[in-house]
Amino acid sequence: MKKRSVRLKITLWFSVILLLITILMTFAVLSISSGVMQKNIQDSLIAIVEDNVDEVEYFQWI
């Protein structure tokens, strides 16, 4: 088996660590943006319902 040079070993370790950091950051950004998007949608829905609540008519049955 051929020995790998120190330069190649360092390059491989650096590449693996960089790939792991990139994957972790991608998942973090996706989860945070998903939460922010859900919050914006919920706030928008609440505002629309509050604006239109006066236009709703209902009958009370005896």
Side-chain angles (χ1 to χ4, degrees):
M1 185 169 167
K2 188 176 179 182
K3 286 190 172 184
R4 295 182 183 155
S5 69
V6 173
R7 178 182 280 175
L8 180 62
K9 288 179 184 179
I10 292 173
T11 303
L12 289 174
W13 274 106
F14 183 77
S15 298
V16 168
I17 291 171
L18 190 60
L19 181 64
L20 289 174
I21 290 172
T22 303
I23 290 170
L24 289 174
M25 291 304 295
T26 301
F27 283 124
V29 166
L30 288 176
S31 66
I32 290 171
S33 66
S34 174
V36 169
M37 191 167 42
Q38 288 291 331
K39 179 72 172 138
N40 285 342
I41 291 171
Q42 184 179 14
D43 290 345
S44 175
L45 180 61
I46 289 171
I48 290 170
V49 170
E50 286 175 348
D51 289 343
N52 293 323
V53 73
D54 294 333
E55 297 178 21
V56 175
E57 295 179 13
Y58 62 94
F59 298 102
Q60 191 172 19
W61 295 94
I62 298 177

